[in-house]
Coordinates of all heavy atoms in Angstrom, one line a residue:
V1414 N -19.3 12.7 -7.5 CA -20.0 11.7 -6.9 C -19.1 11.2 -5.5 O -18.0 11.1 -5.6 CB -20.1 10.4 -7.7 CG1 -20.7 9.2 -6.9 CG2 -20.9 10.7 -9.0
G1415 N -19.9 11.1 -4.4 CA -19.2 10.6 -3.2 C -18.4 11.6 -2.4 O -18.2 12.7 -2.9
L1416 N -17.9 11.2 -1.3 CA -17.0 12.0 -0.7 C -15.8 11.2 -0.1 O -15.9 10.0 0.2 CB -17.7 12.6 0.8 CG -18.7 13.8 0.5 CD1 -19.3 14.1 1.7 CD2 -18.0 15.0 -0.1
N1417 N -14.6 11.8 -0.1 CA -13.4 11.1 0.3 C -12.6 12.1 1.2 O -12.4 13.2 1.0 CB -12.6 10.9 -1.0 CG -11.4 10.1 -0.7 OD1 -11.2 9.6 0.4 ND2 -10.5 9.9 -1.7
N1418 N -12.1 11.5 2.3 CA -11.4 12.2 3.3 C -10.0 11.7 3.5 O -9.2 12.0 4.4 CB -12.1 12.3 4.6 CG -11.4 13.4 5.5 OD1 -11.1 14.4 5.0 ND2 -11.4 13.2 6.8
K1419 N -9.5 10.8 2.5 CA -8.2 10.1 2.8 C -7.2 11.0 2.2 O -7.2 11.6 1.2 CB -8.3 8.8 2.0 CG -9.2 7.8 2.4 CD -9.2 6.5 1.6 CE -10.2 5.3 2.1 NZ -10.2 4.1 1.1
C1420 N -6.2 11.1 3.1 CA -5.0 12.0 2.8 C -3.9 11.4 3.6 O -4.0 10.7 4.6 CB -5.3 13.3 3.1 SG -5.7 13.7 4.8
T1421 N -2.7 11.8 3.3 CA -1.5 11.5 4.1 C -0.5 12.7 4.0 O -0.8 13.8 3.5 CB -0.8 10.2 3.6 OG1 0.2 9.7 4.4 CG2 -0.2 10.4 2.1
N1422 N 0.7 12.4 4.5 CA 1.8 13.4 4.7 C 3.1 12.8 4.5 O 3.2 11.5 4.6 CB 1.6 14.2 6.0 CG 1.6 13.3 7.1 OD1 2.6 12.7 7.6 ND2 0.3 12.9 7.6
L1423 N 4.1 13.6 4.4 CA 5.4 13.1 4.1 C 6.0 12.2 5.3 O 6.6 11.2 5.1 CB 6.5 14.2 3.9 CG 6.3 15.0 2.7 CD1 7.1 16.3 2.6 CD2 6.5 14.2 1.4
L1424 N 5.6 12.7 6.6 CA 6.1 11.9 7.8 C 5.4 10.5 7.8 O 6.0 9.4 8.0 CB 5.9 12.7 9.0 CG 6.3 12.0 10.3 CD1 7.8 11.6 10.2 CD2 6.0 12.8 11.5
S1425 N 4.1 10.5 7.6 CA 3.4 9.2 7.6 C 3.9 8.3 6.5 O 4.1 7.1 6.7 CB 1.9 9.4 7.5 OG 1.4 10.0 8.7
M1426 N 4.1 8.9 5.3 CA 4.6 8.1 4.2 C 5.9 7.4 4.5 O 6.2 6.4 4.3 CB 4.8 9.1 3.0 CG 3.5 9.4 2.3 SD 3.8 10.7 1.1 CE 5.2 10.0 0.2
L1427 N 6.9 8.2 5.2 CA 8.2 7.8 5.5 C 8.0 6.5 6.4 O 8.7 5.5 6.3 CB 9.0 8.9 6.0 CG 10.4 8.4 6.6 CD1 11.3 7.8 5.4 CD2 11.1 9.6 7.2
L1428 N 7.2 6.7 7.6 CA 7.0 5.7 8.5 C 6.5 4.4 8.0 O 6.9 3.3 8.2 CB 6.2 6.3 9.6 CG 6.7 7.3 10.5 CD1 5.7 8.0 11.4 CD2 8.0 7.0 11.2
L1429 N 5.5 4.5 7.0 CA 4.9 3.5 6.5 C 5.8 2.8 5.4 O 5.8 1.4 5.4 CB 3.6 3.7 5.7 CG 2.4 4.0 6.6 CD1 1.2 4.5 5.8 CD2 2.0 2.8 7.5
D1430 N 6.6 3.5 4.8 CA 7.7 2.8 3.9 C 8.6 2.1 4.7 O 8.9 0.9 4.3 CB 8.4 4.0 3.2 CG 7.6 4.6 2.0 OD1 6.6 4.0 1.6 OD2 7.9 5.7 1.6
L1431 N 9.1 2.6 6.0 CA 10.0 1.9 6.7 C 9.4 0.6 7.3 O 10.0 -0.5 7.5 CB 10.4 2.7 7.8 CG 11.4 4.0 7.5 CD1 11.6 4.9 8.6 CD2 12.7 3.4 6.8
A1432 N 7.9 0.7 7.4 CA 7.2 -0.5 8.0 C 6.9 -1.4 7.0 O 6.2 -2.5 7.4 CB 6.0 0.1 8.7
G1433 N 7.2 -1.2 5.7 CA 6.9 -2.2 4.6 C 5.4 -2.0 4.0 O 4.9 -2.8 3.2
N1434 N 4.8 -0.8 4.3 CA 3.5 -0.5 3.7 C 2.6 -1.6 3.9 O 2.0 -2.1 2.9 CB 3.7 -0.2 2.2 CG 4.4 1.2 2.0 OD1 3.9 2.2 2.5 ND2 5.5 1.1 1.3
P1435 N 2.2 -2.0 5.1 CA 1.4 -3.2 5.4 C -0.1 -3.0 5.1 O -0.8 -3.9 4.9 CB 1.6 -3.4 6.9 CG 1.9 -2.1 7.4 CD 2.8 -1.4 6.3
Y1436 N -0.6 -1.6 4.9 CA -1.9 -1.3 4.7 C -2.2 -1.0 3.4 O -3.2 -0.3 3.1 CB -2.4 -0.2 5.7 CG -2.4 -0.7 7.3 CD1 -2.2 0.3 8.2 CD2 -2.4 -2.1 7.5 CE1 -2.1 -0.2 9.6 CE2 -2.5 -2.4 8.9 CZ -2.3 -1.5 9.8 OH -2.3 -1.9 11.2
G1437 N -1.4 -1.4 2.5 CA -1.5 -0.9 1.1 C -2.7 -1.7 0.5 O -3.4 -2.7 1.1
S1438 N -3.1 -1.5 -0.8 CA -4.2 -2.1 -1.5 C -3.8 -3.4 -2.1 O -4.1 -3.7 -3.3 CB -4.8 -1.2 -2.5 OG -3.7 -0.8 -3.5
Y1439 N -3.4 -4.4 -1.2 CA -2.9 -5.8 -1.7 C -4.1 -6.6 -2.1 O -4.0 -7.6 -2.8 CB -2.1 -6.4 -0.7 CG -0.8 -5.6 -0.3 CD1 -0.8 -4.9 0.9 CD2 0.3 -5.8 -1.0 CE1 0.4 -4.1 1.3 CE2 1.5 -5.1 -0.7 CZ 1.4 -4.2 0.4 OH 2.6 -3.7 0.7
Q1440 N -5.2 -6.4 -1.5 CA -6.5 -7.3 -1.6 C -7.1 -7.2 -3.0 O -8.0 -8.0 -3.2 CB -7.4 -7.1 -0.5 CG -8.2 -5.8 -0.8 CD -7.6 -4.5 -0.3 OE1 -6.4 -4.7 0.1 NE2 -8.3 -3.4 -0.1
D1441 N -6.7 -6.4 -3.9 CA -7.3 -6.2 -5.2 C -6.6 -6.7 -6.4 O -6.7 -6.3 -7.3 CB -7.7 -4.6 -5.4 CG -8.7 -4.1 -4.4 OD1 -9.8 -4.7 -4.4 OD2 -8.3 -3.3 -3.6
D1442 N -5.9 -7.9 -6.1 CA -5.3 -8.6 -7.2 C -4.4 -7.7 -8.0 O -4.4 -7.6 -9.3 CB -6.2 -9.2 -8.2 CG -7.1 -10.3 -7.3 OD1 -6.7 -10.9 -6.5 OD2 -8.2 -10.4 -7.7
E1443 N -3.6 -6.9 -7.3 CA -2.7 -6.0 -8.0 C -1.3 -6.7 -8.4 O -0.9 -7.6 -7.7 CB -2.5 -4.7 -7.1 CG -3.7 -3.8 -7.1 CD -3.2 -2.5 -6.3 OE1 -2.3 -1.7 -6.9 OE2 -3.8 -2.2 -5.4
W1444 N -0.7 -6.0 -9.4 CA 0.7 -6.5 -9.9 C 1.6 -5.3 -9.9 O 1.2 -4.1 -10.1 CB 0.5 -7.0 -11.2 CG -0.5 -8.2 -11.4 CD1 -1.8 -8.0 -11.4 CD2 -0.2 -9.6 -11.2 NE1 -2.5 -9.2 -11.5 CE2 -1.5 -10.2 -11.3 CE3 0.9 -10.4 -11.1 CZ2 -1.7 -11.6 -11.3 CZ3 0.7 -11.7 -11.1 CH2 -0.5 -12.4 -11.1
C1445 N 2.9 -5.7 -9.6 CA 3.8 -4.6 -9.5 C 4.1 -3.9 -10.8 O 4.2 -4.6 -11.8 CB 5.1 -5.2 -9.1 SG 6.5 -4.0 -8.9
L1446 N 4.0 -2.5 -10.9 CA 4.1 -1.8 -12.1 C 5.6 -1.9 -12.7 O 5.9 -1.6 -13.8 CB 3.8 -0.3 -11.9 CG 2.3 -0.1 -11.4 CD1 2.1 1.4 -11.1 CD2 1.3 -0.6 -12.5
H1447 N 6.5 -2.3 -11.7 CA 7.9 -2.3 -12.0 C 8.4 -3.6 -12.6 O 9.1 -3.7 -13.6 CB 8.8 -1.9 -10.8 CG 8.2 -0.6 -10.3 ND1 8.7 0.6 -10.9 CD2 7.7 -0.3 -9.1 CE1 8.1 1.6 -10.1 NE2 7.5 1.1 -9.0
C1448 N 8.1 -4.7 -11.9 CA 8.6 -6.0 -12.3 C 7.5 -7.0 -12.7 O 7.8 -8.1 -13.2 CB 9.4 -6.7 -11.2 SG 8.4 -7.2 -9.7
G1449 N 6.2 -6.6 -12.5 CA 5.0 -7.5 -12.8 C 4.7 -8.6 -12.0 O 3.8 -9.4 -12.1
A1450 N 5.4 -8.6 -10.7 CA 5.0 -9.7 -9.7 C 3.8 -9.4 -9.1 O 3.4 -8.3 -8.9 CB 6.2 -9.8 -8.8
R1451 N 3.1 -10.4 -8.5 CA 1.8 -10.3 -7.8 C 2.3 -9.5 -6.4 O 3.2 -10.0 -5.7 CB 1.2 -11.7 -7.5 CG 0.1 -11.6 -6.6 CD -1.2 -11.1 -7.3 NE -2.3 -11.3 -6.5 CZ -3.2 -12.4 -6.4 NH1 -2.8 -13.4 -7.1 NH2 -4.2 -12.4 -5.6
L1452 N 1.5 -8.5 -6.1 CA 1.7 -7.8 -4.8 C 1.0 -8.5 -3.7 O -0.1 -8.9 -3.8 CB 1.2 -6.4 -5.0 CG 1.9 -5.5 -6.0 CD1 1.2 -4.1 -6.1 CD2 3.3 -5.3 -5.6
K1453 N 1.8 -8.8 -2.7 CA 1.3 -9.6 -1.5 C 1.7 -8.8 -0.3 O 2.6 -8.2 -0.1 CB 2.0 -11.0 -1.4 CG 1.6 -11.8 -2.7 CD 2.2 -13.2 -2.5 CE 1.9 -14.2 -3.7 NZ 2.5 -15.5 -3.6
R1454 N 0.6 -8.7 0.7 CA 0.8 -8.2 2.0 C 2.0 -8.9 2.7 O 2.2 -10.1 2.7 CB -0.5 -8.4 2.8 CG -0.4 -7.4 4.0 CD -1.7 -7.6 4.8 NE -2.9 -7.4 4.0 CZ -3.4 -6.2 3.8 NH1 -2.9 -5.1 4.3 NH2 -4.5 -5.9 3.0
P1455 N 2.9 -8.0 3.4 CA 4.0 -8.7 4.0 C 3.5 -9.7 5.2 O 2.6 -9.4 5.9 CB 4.6 -7.5 4.8 CG 3.7 -6.4 4.7 CD 2.8 -6.7 3.5
L1456 N 4.0 -10.9 5.2 CA 3.6 -11.9 6.1 C 4.0 -11.7 7.5 O 3.2 -12.1 8.5 CB 4.0 -13.4 5.6 CG 3.6 -13.7 4.3 CD1 4.3 -15.1 3.9 CD2 2.1 -13.8 4.3
Q1457 N 5.1 -11.1 7.8 CA 5.6 -11.0 9.1 C 6.2 -9.5 9.2 O 6.8 -9.0 8.2 CB 6.7 -11.9 9.6 CG 6.1 -13.4 9.6 CD 7.2 -14.3 9.9 OE1 8.5 -14.0 9.8 NE2 6.9 -15.5 10.5

């Protein structure tokens, strides 16, 4: 079902990690798999 063209690469991953991953899926009421804290988009 459906079509998906979303993909990434090692360089983009590294750059986004350094940038704090601002475009992650924060809007879906997610919780950290490691510590259980609520995941929030970086404010600044």
Side-chain angles (χ1 to χ4, degrees):
V1414 178
L1416 285 177
N1417 183 8
N1418 195 34
K1419 294 180 180 178
C1420 61
T1421 190
N1422 53 78
L1423 290 175
L1424 179 55
S1425 290
M1426 284 170 50
L1427 175 60
L1428 294 174
L1429 285 173
D1430 285 344
L1431 293 173
N1434 291 301
Y1436 295 152
S1438 53
Y1439 299 97
Q1440 71 276 12
D1441 289 301
D1442 298 327
E1443 290 191 57
W1444 304 82
C1445 179
L1446 299 176
H1447 308 283
C1448 71
R1451 175 78 175 272
L1452 293 174
K1453 297 180 180 180
R1454 192 182 303 276
L1456 297 176
Q1457 294 182 339

